[in-house]
Amino acid sequence: METSLEEQFQQKIDQEIKIEPKDWMPEKYRQTLIRQISQHAHSEVVGMLPEGNWITRAPSLRRKAILLAKIQDEAGHGLYLYSAAETLGISRDEMYHQLHAGNAKYSSIFNYPTLTWADMGAIGWLVDGAAIMNQVPLCRTSFGPYARAMVRVCKEESFHQRQGFESLWVLSKGTDEQKRMCQDAINRWWWPCLMMFGPPDDESHNTIQSMQWKIKRFSNDELRQKFVDMIAEQIKILSMKLPDPDLKWNEEKKHYDYGKINWEEFWQVLKGNGPCNKERLDTRKKAWDDGAWVRDAATAYAVKKSNNQLNNSNSVYANLH
Amino acid sequence: MQTFIRKMFYGDYGEEKNTASESSSGNASTNEWPLWEVFIRSKQGLDHKHVGSLHAADAVMALENARDVYTRRGEGVSIWIVESKNIHASSPDETAALFEPANDKIYRHPSFYDLPDELKHM
């Protein structure tokens, strides 16, 4: 019996055969991936903004060099991901347009402010830690270009988390004021980090289909739990506390129980009402607009040069005759 | 005889991708820089391998951007860049027919041959 294209597609997925850009795919698979990969790319790009503020304020040359390298990586990660999305038939300009027009989402975490230097450590340890939790399974996602981009991203991301922990570790052994700063940053970033994994499974409408297509390999709640279990142990080394009175080890489940997440806050930030949504988007748009003359100049130069080449080769041709 | 290789722009991208010389072709979404594919030799003695793509106005910029995007940690000793529109690819729809001639020629593999056990090192 003949199988439909859709059945053949699902069979490939079930056999762990990667889907490549020119293969047949259901339109919804394509659209889901364009949405997910472009949101992921936007998150890398907007994710540079909260950190940019601290480049000139880093406490030492070493920290400054590290922060610059991390931010440069994030630009690179955005570029890998935009390229992967482009293989699905959307243009780079269209994705930028969606971001700048406020129609595209990016990770809600970047709409929170970075108030002290300790936030750079907390972002590395917690935000990048949560991102890695999400990204490692994506290295095996069913769409080839996305999986390959994620392998590259994950290789580079590990230093981001380690430098963050190291930075907090130094603060945690410092003066009382440094310790307070460290605890304060953890307090502010903890809950928004838990929200990074997305809504609870029973409210996440895309999860079931995405799992069937093996775009996602674990549900939001599964990944969130893994993250809590990891951080609850690591924070002991810092001698700091997570701001959750309900956090405790559950011997029966072999997992940490944790308190209720304020989902109302999550939806508000996602809708654009977070503390920095407007500022982030404005900064991003300004960077794009201010760079327009550079892009135009480069294009004009390239056109002029290729015209010159054309003219030169014409005159050589003329001389031959 | 049927020709399987036909002109197709790079397998991973659509043919609508614009090029440096055509880059000002009207509608708002097509004034972006052309797309380039990046190939990197990770060390002497190895082939250049495709690592990804990027946009750049010309070849010089593409090389510099490739260095910044794809070799931040010493991943390469040499970079090739080629404009994506210059890559021709086989069609996935014809994969079966294109590679079929190799399928029934198992005698091309050394394990096909039944040799006496006494024969060493062959």
Side-chain angles (χ1 to χ4, degrees), chain A residues 104-175:
Chain A
K105 291 196 181 82
Y106 53 84
S107 182
S108 56
I109 196 80
F110 301 119
N111 292 315
Y112 290 87
T114 47
L115 303 179
T116 73
W117 168 252
D119 288 18
M120 292 303 98
I123 286 179
W125 177 42
L126 296 174
V127 175
D128 290 308
I132 291 170
M133 220 36 130
N134 256 321
Q135 287 168 349
V136 168
L138 285 173
C139 294
R140 294 189 298 124
T141 194
S142 58
F143 185 58
Y146 192 22
R148 292 193 286 274
M150 291 318 301
V151 168
R152 212 175 287 282
V153 168
C154 285
K155 264 191 212 159
E156 300 182 347
E157 197 85 39
S158 161
F159 118 71
H160 297 189
Q161 195 186 14
R162 290 172 67 103
Q163 66 82 33
F165 190 87
E166 186 204 61
S167 172
L168 290 185
W169 196 43
V170 169
L171 290 178
S172 77
K173 291 184 301 185
T175 63

Side-chain angles (χ1 to χ4, degrees), chain B residues 1 4 6-7 11 16-17 19 22-24 32 38 52 57 61-62 76 78-79 91 95 104-106 110 120:
Chain B
M1 204 191 118
F4 289 111
R6 67 161 75 116
K7 181 174 162 67
E16 73 282 0
K17 281 289 167 200
T19 66
E22 304 159 355
S23 60
S24 54
E32 55 187 31
V38 181
M61 187 194 278
S78 164
I79 302 173
S91 160
T95 298
D104 61 353
K105 296 179 181 59
I106 49 171
K120 306 286 185 210

Side-chain angles (χ1 to χ4, degrees), chain A residues 168-187:
Chain A
L168 290 185
W169 196 43
V170 169
L171 290 178
S172 77
K173 291 184 301 185
T175 63
D176 285 350
E177 198 187 346
Q178 286 174 317
K179 286 177 189 165
R180 265 201 306 277
M181 213 163 92
C182 179
Q183 182 63 60
D184 166 66
I186 293 168
N187 290 349

Side-chain angles (χ1 to χ4, degrees), chain A residues 24-199:
Chain A
W24 186 89
M25 62 185 80
E27 193 47 32
K28 187 150 178 276
Y29 179 83
R30 180 189 304 277
Q31 292 307 331
T32 302
L33 277 170
I34 287 178
R35 186 174 44 96
Q36 182 170 333
I37 301 173
S38 63
Q39 282 178 13
H40 198 158
H42 298 328
S43 300
E44 296 284 355
V45 169
V46 177
M48 294 189 277
L49 304 178
E51 292 172 318
N53 182 46
W54 288 96
I55 294 175
T56 53
R57 295 168 174 82
S60 68
L61 187 58
R62 179 177 183 271
R63 293 288 170 202
K64 181 173 177 165
I66 291 169
L67 186 58
L68 271 171
K70 179 179 191 289
I71 293 173
Q72 199 185 11
D73 273 354
E74 279 149 7
H77 297 174
L79 292 173
Y80 305 154
L81 288 160
Y82 281 128
S83 293
E86 280 175 272
T87 67
L88 292 158
I90 186 168
S91 72
R92 183 79 58 100
D93 278 359
E94 174 63 21
M95 287 185 275
Y96 286 161
H97 177 74
Q98 288 174 353
L99 175 65
H100 297 160
N103 299 328
K105 291 196 181 82
Y106 53 84
S107 182
S108 56
I109 196 80
F110 301 119
N111 292 315
Y112 290 87
T114 47
L115 303 179
T116 73
W117 168 252
D119 288 18
M120 292 303 98
I123 286 179
W125 177 42
L126 296 174
V127 175
D128 290 308
I132 291 170
M133 220 36 130
N134 256 321
Q135 287 168 349
V136 168
L138 285 173
C139 294
R140 294 189 298 124
T141 194
S142 58
F143 185 58
Y146 192 22
R148 292 193 286 274
M150 291 318 301
V151 168
R152 212 175 287 282
V153 168
C154 285
K155 264 191 212 159
E156 300 182 347
E157 197 85 39
S158 161
F159 118 71
H160 297 189
Q161 195 186 14
R162 290 172 67 103
Q163 66 82 33
F165 190 87
E166 186 204 61
S167 172
L168 290 185
W169 196 43
V170 169
L171 290 178
S172 77
K173 291 184 301 185
T175 63
D176 285 350
E177 198 187 346
Q178 286 174 317
K179 286 177 189 165
R180 265 201 306 277
M181 213 163 92
C182 179
Q183 182 63 60
D184 166 66
I186 293 168
N187 290 349
R188 283 182 289 107
W189 288 97
W190 174 246
W191 290 106
C193 275
L194 291 189
M195 297 173 197
M196 280 176 70
F197 295 93

Side-chain angles (χ1 to χ4, degrees), chain A residues 156-311:
Chain A
E156 300 182 347
E157 197 85 39
S158 161
F159 118 71
H160 297 189
Q161 195 186 14
R162 290 172 67 103
Q163 66 82 33
F165 190 87
E166 186 204 61
S167 172
L168 290 185
W169 196 43
V170 169
L171 290 178
S172 77
K173 291 184 301 185
T175 63
D176 285 350
E177 198 187 346
Q178 286 174 317
K179 286 177 189 165
R180 265 201 306 277
M181 213 163 92
C182 179
Q183 182 63 60
D184 166 66
I186 293 168
N187 290 349
R188 283 182 289 107
W189 288 97
W190 174 246
W191 290 106
C193 275
L194 291 189
M195 297 173 197
M196 280 176 70
F197 295 93
D201 291 348
D202 47 12
E203 290 171 39
S204 176
H205 307 298
N206 302 320
T207 295
I208 296 170
Q209 182 64 80
S210 283
M211 300 268 277
Q212 197 199 344
W213 280 334
K214 296 192 182 169
I215 295 174
K216 278 171 90 157
R217 298 259 173 184
F218 297 98
S219 75
N220 297 352
D221 285 334
E222 283 173 312
L223 290 169
R224 188 165 16 243
Q225 183 67 59
K226 276 170 97 166
F227 178 70
V228 172
D229 291 347
M230 178 179 83
I231 298 298
E233 288 299 318
Q234 290 177 353
I235 195 160
K236 292 175 187 170
I237 302 169
L238 292 177
S239 310
M240 296 281 145
K241 281 204 165 57
L242 290 174
D244 179 359
D246 297 326
L247 185 88
K248 67 169 192 293
W249 177 250
N250 183 325
E251 184 57 33
E252 198 183 318
K253 290 190 199 155
K254 300 285 178 201
H255 285 297
Y256 276 91
D257 290 332
Y258 54 94
K260 238 173 111 47
I261 295 169
N262 181 355
W263 290 112
E264 181 50 28
E265 176 181 321
F266 172 76
W267 294 116
Q268 282 301 328
V269 176
L270 215 60
K271 268 188 245 165
N273 303 325
C276 301
N277 292 60
K278 189 177 178 314
E279 185 188 330
R280 298 287 183 247
L281 213 53
D282 287 350
T283 310
R284 170 64 205 159
K285 279 191 286 200
K286 184 175 184 307
W288 177 253
D289 293 340
D290 289 353
W293 70 271
V294 180
R295 294 192 299 277
D296 291 345
T299 305
Y301 177 70
V303 169
K304 198 170 149 191
K305 217 169 48 171
S306 80
N307 286 346
N308 281 347
Q309 258 164 14
L310 221 62
N311 291 341

Side-chain angles (χ1 to χ4, degrees), chain B residues 89-109:
Chain B
S90 62
S91 160
D93 300 335
E94 290 158 0
T95 298
L98 183 66
F99 297 104
E100 190 276 332
N103 290 343
D104 61 353
K105 296 179 181 59
I106 49 171
Y107 44 85
R108 283 173 172 170
H109 298 277

